[in-house]
């Protein structure tokens, strides 16, 4: 779908979308169209449940007096609650609705109502952004879908007086959407297509946007002593990869010390010898969600030319059972030198991250290091699919992440870390074991394990197991891979690591 910003005018064909605020208050364009159609809009409003609540929709087909083929009235909710996220949701709702309508073109004339938090330009840009985010589909493998089942909308224009300013605002958001889409694509891709080497190739494509990409193969990782990551990989014939992506956007003379983002990239997690039950195992194709987010984030930052230095590191492995696979009870030596008794081969994400985190802090000495991982089923028990778990002993970094998440509608909820939880992974025969001793708090013990590989660099861990994939669509997040974290971290970079 092509989205553009345009000068206001009444369309000669296709759908016209107008806004109605809570309690059936017509926006300016809605009132004008009501006049031209002999009061058809106000009559329609009287006949149903439509009140103008946020994301409600009612429509008129073939209205007399205007050329548009239909008028869609969309609820804007209460004017004072109409912020950027609300505008995005409205944009996504419009696209979802019109996709099923058979209409090929639509023009949105949603004027910002009196008392709204958003100016017209921001309103238009965010409507367009939400429309783009909501238009995402992963349909690469659907060869027989009937045309009438496919979304019909081809072109969407969002009308606003200052078209130039709105286009400028949208083009920045559009780059972020490119990053979100890349993450969604990667997360949705099945594991026979997406495995460590093919995922590394995907990361390599960022080179054309100016990202420096290095791929470390098995031999390099062996030299670096990454026994924890390599132990997970050894059950699979697929070679593991460690991908380092660098976006050096900081201005000359500015602070060069980077922010580092590290992702778990288990391209398929069978559990290994501690094998998972077959029911639902197909979900484990998205166990590379953390890595997917890091790659999408790098794309967003490079696309919008962020003025910050950001390093993205992803550890890519496939966790398989085989005659070569690591066994419960094996002891591995990580790149940090610390030894780990692998009690459960299904607690593999932390083993991959142990070496990726150590490598990242050691090589880049980052200002802060944030990892994302679909680390534990336990985080879904705690937080469901509403918040990601946040673990950090740095209050400032935690507050910054929470604020960025709030602003982008990607919520995080902070959990505690504590020496008492850390004891759970103490071990008799090695420096630590990879799972707790039965004291519960599985997500926290996972975080305590990771913390041992951060070398005390300011660090935060986001457990996104409940957020990377969604079985239920939302206006700006269709079901499937969500792209969770790209927007949050892009915002963190913009608000906290770029000059104002
Ligand atoms: N990839 C899983 C976590 C997961 C579960 C992600 C469900 C998304 C949905 C992870 O590698 C795992 O298997 N974790 C174990 C840890 C346990 C063995 C300590 C878990 O959560 O059961
Ligand atoms: Mn696992
Ligand atoms: Zn896993």
């Amino acid at each position: 779908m092509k989205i553009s910003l345009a000068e206001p005018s009444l369309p000669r064909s296709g759908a016209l979308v107008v806004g109605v605020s809570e309690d059936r208050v017509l926006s300016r364009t809605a009132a004008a169209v009501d006049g031209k159609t002999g009061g058809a809009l106000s009559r329609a409003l009287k006949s149903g449940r439509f009140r103008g609540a946020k994301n409600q929709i009612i429509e008129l087909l073939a209205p007399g007096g205007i050329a548009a083929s239909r008028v869609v009235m969309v609820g804007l909710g209460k004017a004072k609650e109409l912020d950027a996220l609300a505008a995005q949701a409205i944009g996504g709702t419009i696209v979802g609705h019109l996709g099923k309508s058979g209409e090929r073109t639509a023009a949105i004339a949603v004027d910002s109502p009196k008392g709204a938090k958003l100016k017209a330009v921001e309103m238009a840009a965010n409507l367009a952004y939400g429309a783009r985010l909501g238009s995402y589909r992963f349909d690469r493998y659907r060869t027989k879908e009937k045309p009438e089942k496919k979304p019909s909308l081809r072109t969407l224009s969002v009308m606003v007086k200052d078209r130039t300013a709105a286009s400028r605002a949208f083009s920045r958001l559009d780059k972020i959407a490119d990053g979100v889409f890349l993450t969604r694509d990667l997360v949705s891709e099945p594991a026979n297509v997406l495995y460590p080497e093919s995922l590394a190739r995907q990361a390599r494509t960022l080179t054309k946007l100016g990202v420096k990409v290095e791929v470390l193969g098995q031999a390099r990782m062996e030299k670096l002593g990454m026994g924890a990551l390599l132990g997970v990989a050894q059950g699979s014939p697929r070679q593991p990869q460690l991908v380092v992506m660098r976006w050096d956007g900081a201005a000359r003379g500015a602070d060069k010390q980077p922010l580092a983002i590290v992702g778990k990239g288990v391209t398929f997690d069978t559990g290994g010898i501690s094998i998972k039950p077959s029911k639902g195992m197909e979900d484990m194709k998205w166990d590379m969600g953390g890595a997917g987010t890091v790659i999408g984030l790098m794309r967003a930052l490079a696309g919008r030319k962020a003025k910050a230095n950001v390093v993205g590191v992803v550890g890519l492995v496939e966790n398989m059972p085989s005659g070569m696979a690591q066994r419960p009870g094996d002891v591995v030596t990580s790149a940090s030198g610390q030894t780990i008794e692998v009690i459960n081969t299904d607690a593999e994400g932390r083993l991959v991250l142990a070496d990726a985190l150590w490598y990242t802090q050691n090589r880049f000495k980052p200002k802060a290091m944030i990892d994302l991982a679909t680390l534990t089923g336990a985080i879904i028990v705690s937080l469901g699919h509403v918040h990601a778990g946040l673990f950090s002993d740095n209050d400032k970094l935690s507050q910054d992440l929470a604020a960025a998440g709030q602003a982008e509608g990607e919520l995080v909820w902070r959990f505690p870390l504590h020496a008492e939880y850390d004891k759970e992974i103490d071990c008799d025969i090695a420096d630590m074991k990879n799972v707790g001793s039965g004291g519960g708090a599985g997500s926290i013990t996972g975080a305590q394990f990771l913390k041992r590989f951060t070398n005390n660099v300011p660090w935060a861990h986001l457990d996104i197991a409940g957020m990377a994939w969604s079985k239920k669509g939302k206006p700006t997040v269709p079901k499937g891979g969500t792209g969770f974290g790209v927007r949050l971290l892009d915002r963190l970079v913009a608000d906290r690591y770029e000059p104002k």
Side-chain angles (χ1 to χ4, degrees):
M1 189 179 61
K2 218 180 139 313
I3 301 174
S4 57
L5 283 300
E7 302 282 335
S9 71
L10 285 185
R12 283 179 223 285
S13 64
L16 170 64
V17 184
V18 296
V20 179
S21 309
E22 186 82 43
D23 295 328
R24 301 185 174 87
V25 180
L26 296 183
S27 65
R28 203 164 22 78
T29 312
V33 173
D34 194 40
K36 281 188 187 293
T37 56
L41 271 58
S42 4
R43 280 203 302 286
L45 283 182
K46 284 200 190 98
S47 67
R49 284 194 178 160
F50 184 94
R51 298 180 286 114
K54 197 182 126 188
N55 297 337
Q56 265 190 317
I57 283 204
I58 190 175
E59 63 183 352
L60 279 176
L61 295 177
I66 57 168
S69 57
R70 75 177 72 201
V71 177
V72 177
M73 288 181 264
V74 63
L76 307 179
K78 297 198 178 80
K80 63 175 190 309
E81 289 168 10
L82 188 46
D83 57 9
L85 288 178
Q88 291 161 26
I90 291 164
T93 301
I94 293 168
V95 160
H97 176 80
L98 287 173
K100 293 188 213 106
S101 71
E103 252 358 308
R104 292 171 64 91
T105 68
I108 303 184
V110 175
D111 329 283
S112 153
K114 234 200 244 111
K117 283 184 186 156
L118 286 181
K119 295 202 185 76
V121 163
E122 257 84 70
M123 171 97 170
N126 280 287
L127 281 166
Y129 185 35
R132 169 103 202 275
L133 290 170
S135 73
Y136 177 82
R137 263 169 66 96
F138 185 77
D139 52 12
R140 188 169 298 170
Y141 300 110
R142 307 186 65 159
T143 67
K144 295 187 167 176
E145 195 179 28
K146 297 208 175 71
E148 63 269 28
K149 294 267 177 185
K150 292 199 172 131
S152 56
L153 211 55
R154 291 295 131 77
T155 61
L156 176 70
S157 62
V158 180
M159 302 189 291
V160 57
K161 272 214 187 94
D162 193 348
R163 191 196 81 86
T164 321
S167 284
R168 206 176 310 121
F170 174 58
S171 77
R172 179 180 186 280
L173 299 172
D174 206 26
K175 300 297 182 199
I176 303 169
D178 289 341
V180 173
F181 278 27
L182 175 57
T183 302
R184 289 176 180 174
D185 280 345
L186 297 175
V187 166
S188 302
E189 203 63 76
N192 60 328
V193 175
L194 202 79
Y195 46 90
E197 282 170 318
S198 65
L199 183 47
R201 275 200 289 281
Q202 291 287 318
R204 267 231 166 84
T205 65
L206 299 180
T207 309
K208 63 177 184 287
L209 294 174
V211 178
K212 297 180 194 119
V213 183
E214 288 165 63
V215 181
L216 284 62
Q218 180 156 335
R220 277 297 303 283
M221 288 192 267
E222 275 163 10
K223 285 220 180 70
L224 290 161
M226 295 187 170
L229 184 153
L230 291 168
V232 177
Q234 81 188 31
S236 169
R238 305 284 193 197
Q239 289 265 322
Q241 310 267 273
L242 188 86
V243 182
V244 178
M245 294 159 279
R246 276 184 294 163
W247 171 251
D248 291 328
R252 241 178 259 131
D255 186 0
K256 290 278 180 289
Q257 194 185 9
L259 171 68
I261 317 287
V262 180
K264 166 180 171 181
V266 177
T267 57
F268 197 82
D269 180 13
T270 62
I273 296 299
S274 313
I275 198 162
K276 289 181 180 295
S278 58
K279 190 172 180 299
M281 204 203 272
E282 67 280 6
D283 281 349
M284 288 301 107
K285 74 170 182 182
W286 48 263
D287 207 22
M288 37 54 68
T293 296
V294 175
I295 296 168
L297 172 71
M298 298 309 289
R299 169 149 188 180
L301 295 174
R304 70 172 181 79
K305 301 200 167 25
K307 291 189 173 51
N309 289 356
V310 181
V311 182
V313 175
V314 295
L316 310 179
V317 303
E318 184 177 57
N319 188 22
M320 296 292 271
S322 80
M324 288 296 290
Q326 76 178 338
R327 294 146 291 253
D330 284 5
V331 175
V332 295
T333 302
S334 67
S336 71
Q338 300 176 94
T339 56
I340 306 160
E341 186 184 15
V342 180
I343 299 294
N344 188 324
T345 65
D346 196 12
E348 85 297 340
R350 62 198 71 182
L351 296 169
V352 172
L353 286 174
D355 284 337
L357 286 167
W358 185 263
Y359 176 82
T360 303
Q361 63 76 28
N362 184 49
R363 175 167 170 195
F364 295 105
K365 315 282 185 258
K367 280 195 176 96
M369 186 159 70
I370 301 164
D371 77 75
L372 296 106
T374 49
L375 204 72
T376 65
I379 202 70
I380 308 177
V381 176
S382 307
L383 296 173
H385 306 285
V386 179
H387 292 82
L390 162 63
F391 303 81
S392 176
D393 41 22
N394 188 302
D395 293 344
K396 177 72 169 67
L397 185 57
S398 297
Q399 282 155 17
D400 286 351
L401 282 162
Q406 194 87 44
E408 296 293 326
E410 294 189 328
L411 301 174
V412 302
W413 191 261
R414 190 173 176 188
F415 278 61
L417 293 169
H418 195 278
E420 286 297 320
Y421 295 114
D422 195 60
K423 284 185 191 157
E424 277 285 309
I425 54 172
D426 285 346
C427 176
D428 291 338
I429 75 148
D431 297 333
M432 69 196 87
K433 46 192 189 181
N434 76 330
V435 293
S437 313
S443 304
I444 303 177
T445 51
Q448 295 288 165
F449 182 97
L450 298 179
K451 183 174 146 60
R452 293 189 183 202
F453 298 88
T454 60
N455 206 10
N456 296 319
V457 165
W459 157 80
H461 157 58
L462 295 174
D463 192 335
I464 61 168
M467 305 307 294
W469 186 267
S470 137
K471 296 198 159 121
K472 226 174 69 204
K474 290 195 197 146
T476 56
V477 189
K479 63 182 173 192
T482 59
F484 182 94
V486 173
R487 297 183 54 178
L488 186 161
L489 292 171
D490 176 79
R491 162 77 69 158
L492 179 81
V493 170
D495 287 356
R496 294 285 168 233
Y497 296 90
E498 288 184 70
K500 283 280 140 43

